[in-house]
Amino acid sequence: MPGAEPPSPPRRIRRCTDGDLDAILRIENESFSDPYDRGTFSQLLRSEPEGFLVAEGDGGDVLGYVASSARYGLILSLAVSAGHRREGIGTMMMDAALRYLRGRARGVTLQVRVSNAPAISLYRRFSFREVGKVRRYYPDGEDALVMTLDLRQT
């Protein structure tokens, strides 16, 4: 649209706090048909707070999150609020998560719905490669694509 300003990127990526969980749950519920619950996010935050990051907008609102674990070499979940997708927020969060994991884990694994083309494309841009599928991984019976990244090579 002529004259429209481009979307502004998040002001910063920062560690998640307990106060962010309501916003994260809203994003989770609008993003996934089988969302994690508050207890799961609370446990992720307690178990590895350095790996649980949020993208914060100019107004202080949470635009997205990524939960990762160096202990297990995993990206556990990544989502961006529906109104802020395609603005580079997922890329910024993945970059921040990989900076956290580099030097702490030898590699990273994640699972993604085989139908989630935007997420698969994001992960491929970071050089994740497909290593297999988990049949009927999700509650609705959809398969998960397993992707890995060797952090020693990047």
Side-chain angles (χ1 to χ4, degrees), residues 128-144:
F128 278 82
R129 62 184 181 85
E130 300 164 20
V131 295
K133 285 184 185 171
V134 180
R135 299 276 178 219
R136 304 185 58 76
Y137 179 79
Y138 294 98
D140 64 2
E142 187 172 356
D143 295 346

Side-chain angles (χ1 to χ4, degrees), residues 5-96:
E5 290 187 32
S8 60
R11 183 175 52 206
R12 66 184 181 137
I13 304 287
R14 62 169 174 78
R15 282 176 53 174
C16 179
T17 67
D18 284 324
D20 297 321
L21 292 181
D22 286 341
I24 288 169
L25 284 167
R26 279 192 298 277
I27 293 167
E28 178 78 1
N29 284 309
E30 72 185 19
S31 299
F32 301 110
S33 60
D34 56 334
Y36 289 150
D37 60 17
R38 180 178 293 276
T40 300
F41 283 115
S42 293
Q43 177 58 37
L44 291 172
L45 184 56
R46 280 192 310 273
S47 67
E48 197 163 348
E50 305 87 10
F52 199 155
L53 307 170
V54 297
E56 184 179 73
D58 285 335
D61 50 328
V62 174
L63 306 178
Y65 73 88
V66 60
S68 62
S69 171
R71 182 178 311 137
Y72 300 107
L74 295 172
I75 298 290
L76 299 157
S77 188
L78 183 149
V80 176
S81 69
H84 293 280
R85 293 184 184 145
R86 313 286 308 158
E87 295 177 10
I89 295 168
T91 298
M92 290 177 69
M93 288 188 307
M94 180 58 75
D95 185 59

